Amino acid sequence: MAVACVVLVGPSAPSGAPFGKSLPVAAVRDVVPNRVMTWNICNPCEVSNVDRAAEIAAYAPQVIGLQEACVRDVERIREYLEILYGLVYHVKYGTVLRDWGRCGGVPWSPGAFGQAVLSAAPMTDRVHVEYPDGGSEDRGYMAVTTMVGGQRVRLFNTHLAQRRQEAVRADQTGVLAAEVARHDRAIVLGDFNAVPDAPELTRIWALAADTDPQCRPSPAGTCKPTTDWHSKFDYIFLRGITPLGHRVQPTPYSDHHLLHTDLGPA
């Protein structure tokens, strides 16, 4: 029935909605073409993928980077986004673990866990890199090329080592920064597990700016927290791209908030 309703109602682009406003369900039939979101969806957590899909659909981003993502969960989220909201996404994965405890399955065929990117536009040139040292758990980054706001961009999605592993994160950002530096237009998003003035983020700040123009790696910066423990760990770094506005949205479905930004031209 839901699919039939989507066919009958047809598309209704939400791009005219004021920035930062969630969209009525009836209005969600297409993405906001210049909107990018990052979200650590928290695994293992007893959370409904219907609810996760509803959180994403409320803002209908063109691209979303997910961390702590089980492949089975991402597939269900994609299905709900299409069936319930008419939002159709391509998907690419950056798997770093096969973990039965986190992602289910059976011991001899556990679920895949890591990063994922959903994009309304096709993605090409996927790269998946595991960091040489993941710290207490395997970590890595993935990169794809896609269209955001009608412009071609290289998009990176990462999850750095857990807290109190500063030296490990410094090595990881060195690996990531070396690849980001090769691109004039890039979006670098994810859960960096570090506050803005953490020394391990220095190499990223040298290449890109946070989507929040008030957020800087200095005591004078004003950075909104993105976690339930009142720290900013989640970022959308922009290289060669101008932000038009951003929003941090707390959610009951993860210990990380949703962060999204609308982008302008270079």
Side-chain angles (χ1 to χ4, degrees):
M1 182 63 73
V3 174
C5 289
V6 169
V7 173
L8 291 172
V9 172
S12 177
S15 56
F19 175 79
K21 298 292 186 181
S22 61
L23 302 167
V25 171
V28 181
R29 292 291 178 260
D30 203 356
V31 299
V32 181
N34 64 332
R35 182 167 292 172
V36 175
M37 178 184 288
T38 184
W39 190 18
N40 181 321
I41 59 175
C42 183
N43 270 310
C45 293
E46 295 181 1
V47 176
S48 165
N49 288 313
V50 172
D51 293 329
R52 286 169 167 162
E55 292 285 84
I56 295 170
Y59 300 97
Q62 167 78 16
V63 173
I64 177 169
L66 300 175
Q67 303 88 43
E68 295 196 18
C70 295
V71 169
R72 289 184 179 91
D73 288 330
V74 174
E75 289 301 324
R76 293 187 182 104
I77 290 168
R78 285 181 70 216
E79 290 172 0
Y80 291 133
L81 285 167
E82 181 172 2
I83 292 171
L84 300 178
Y85 304 104
L87 298 173
V88 179
Y89 288 97
H90 304 269
V91 65
K92 297 289 184 183
Y93 294 101
T95 296
V96 294
L97 289 172
R98 293 195 175 274
D99 194 311
W100 178 77
R102 281 184 179 271
C103 295
V106 291
W108 57 89
S109 181
F113 172 84
Q115 286 74 250
V117 173
L118 303 179
S119 174
M123 293 175 279
T124 60
D125 305 317
R126 184 193 73 105
V127 170
H128 168 220
V129 175
E130 288 195 37
Y131 294 123
D133 183 359
S136 56
E137 181 179 82
D138 291 351
R139 295 290 163 91
Y141 78 83
M142 60 179 296
V144 298
T145 299
T146 190
M147 302 294 289
V148 179
Q151 299 190 65
R152 185 179 175 90
V153 66
R154 191 66 171 165
L155 183 134
F156 297 82
N157 181 16
T158 192
H159 188 189
L160 300 189
Q162 295 172 351
R163 287 176 285 178
R164 296 179 293 279
Q165 299 180 70
E166 293 85 355
V168 175
R169 289 196 299 274
D171 290 341
Q172 292 172 347
T173 56
V175 172
L176 178 60
E179 183 62 25
V180 173
R182 298 178 59 244
H183 302 274
D184 294 330
R185 286 177 48 82
I187 300 169
V188 187
L189 55 78
D191 175 3
F192 287 74
N193 269 317
V195 295
D197 61 352
E200 60 264 33
L201 296 188
T202 300
R203 291 174 179 172
I204 302 298
W205 283 112
L207 294 171
D210 188 68
T211 183
D212 179 357
Q214 302 301 316
C215 184
R216 295 288 182 268
S218 68
T222 304
C223 305
K224 293 183 179 179
T226 63
T227 65
D228 287 353
W229 51 94
H230 308 295
S231 294
K232 179 177 172 66
F233 278 5
D234 305 271
Y235 298 83
I236 299 177
F237 287 109
L238 304 176
R239 177 172 169 86
I241 304 171
T242 303
L244 297 180
H246 75 285
R247 180 169 180 171
V248 177
Q249 180 62 45
T251 168
Y253 306 115
S254 176
D255 53 0
H256 287 254
H257 307 338
L258 294 96
L259 169 62
H260 73 76
T261 187
D262 289 356
L263 305 178

